[in-house]
Amino acid sequence: AQRVTQPEKLLSVFKGAPVELKCNYSYSGSPELFWYVQYSRQRLQLLLRHISRESIKGFTADLNKGETSFHLKKPFAQEEDSAMYYCALISYNQGGKLIFGQGTELSVKP
Amino acid sequence: DVKVTQSSRYLVKRTGEKVFLECVQDMDHENMFWYRQDPGLGLRLIYFSYDVKMKEKGDIPEGYSVSREKKERFSLILESASTNQTSMYLCASSSHLSDSNEETQYFGPGTRLLVL
């Protein structure tokens, strides 16, 4: 079964600390993975996608096929990073729909 | 800039009422989606559509139906609202294009529905 798992519902760190939001997936074939972010009172938006291999707002995520993981990392968290983060994969054999994880709320304390 | 709009930000309905949630996108996207967002459950796909008058069931279609009469508009219908349909509803759209950069889903602001 195709599935995305985010084991942490809430992650709380202090400003300047490193942060890692965990994401594991189950998918037969070559997955395409995304991180979406939803800031307070704003719409859900794409943060980054693994094929771009880019850093957005200081966040990076590397696809590890051996561990079936796509963890989101940032070396120094900022208060404005506080938001809800969703990991997702696109299921091409189910018509291109996105399968989302349960979400992790990141709280960065001053 | 892609814009996805939803007809209401907040909606309060009574059990048994028929509820319409409207979504409009202005980027000529072929694909449109309806999700519900619940704490601890993430986003779950209700229905999606690849083209006008086409619809496909998602993971939790029970109690819902959809309508796609025009390319830019995708409506979610709760035939007889129930309290367990109290949730945040998100609409999204994306393009058919094979360029993977275009497969990003763009989301609306959401409609928070309370069923009493």
Side-chain angles (χ1 to χ4, degrees), chain A:
Chain A
Q2 292 156 7
R3 188 166 55 242
V4 176
T5 303
Q6 294 177 249
E8 302 141 327
K9 286 184 70 172
L10 173 65
L11 186 62
S12 185
V13 301
F14 285 102
K15 177 183 172 182
V19 63
E20 180 180 70
L21 287 84
K22 291 184 168 41
C23 172
N24 290 91
Y25 67 89
S26 171
Y27 185 76
S28 54
S30 290
E32 187 170 337
L33 286 139
F34 307 78
W35 276 98
Y36 279 79
V37 62
Q38 188 171 30
Y39 301 102
S40 180
R41 303 184 199 284
Q42 294 188 28
R43 66 185 66 201
L44 193 65
Q45 58 187 291
L46 180 69
L47 179 61
L48 55 80
R49 53 196 304 155
H50 90 269
I51 60 170
S52 301
R53 305 184 70 82
E54 57 190 345
S55 173
I56 305 291
K57 298 185 179 183
F59 283 98
T60 58
D62 292 318
L63 179 61
N64 185 323
K65 290 187 179 181
E67 295 183 358
T68 60
S69 69
F70 187 56
H71 303 328
L72 183 69
K73 299 177 185 179
K74 184 169 182 176
F76 307 104
Q78 302 299 314
E79 288 179 70
E80 56 265 30
D81 295 328
S82 295
M84 196 74 184
Y85 291 81
Y86 292 95
C87 182
L89 68 80
I90 193 163
S91 176
Y92 287 109
N93 56 10
Q94 288 184 272
K97 71 176 192 180
L98 279 174
I99 298 171
F100 284 88
Q102 303 92 321
T104 298
E105 182 180 354
L106 175 64
S107 173
V108 182
K109 300 183 188 308

Side-chain angles (χ1 to χ4, degrees), chain B residues 67-91:
Chain B
S67 173
R68 184 106 181 259
E69 295 297 316
K70 293 185 178 181
K71 190 175 186 181
E72 67 271 19
R73 187 180 297 269
F74 192 36
S75 303
L76 179 70
I77 304 153
L78 287 66
E79 296 290 342
S80 176
S82 63
T83 54
N84 62 13
Q85 291 178 309
T86 290
S87 186
M88 172 70 91
Y89 289 87
L90 300 183
C91 175

Side-chain angles (χ1 to χ4, degrees), chain B residues 17-85:
Chain B
E17 279 193 78
K18 190 168 186 175
V19 183
F20 293 87
L21 303 182
E22 306 284 345
C23 175
V24 177
Q25 50 93 7
D26 66 358
M27 282 302 290
D28 203 36
H29 282 168
E30 293 83 4
N31 307 329
M32 295 189 75
F33 306 83
W34 274 107
Y35 297 88
R36 59 178 286 176
Q37 182 183 29
D38 299 288
L41 296 177
L43 274 74
R44 292 179 292 166
L45 183 64
I46 305 170
Y47 267 97
F48 57 108
S49 168
Y50 291 129
D51 207 342
V52 176
K53 297 197 185 294
M54 293 184 67
K55 59 184 179 183
E56 297 282 343
K57 290 181 180 180
D59 300 315
I60 51 165
E62 296 79 18
Y64 303 94
S65 62
V66 289
S67 173
R68 184 106 181 259
E69 295 297 316
K70 293 185 178 181
K71 190 175 186 181
E72 67 271 19
R73 187 180 297 269
F74 192 36
S75 303
L76 179 70
I77 304 153
L78 287 66
E79 296 290 342
S80 176
S82 63
T83 54
N84 62 13
Q85 291 178 309

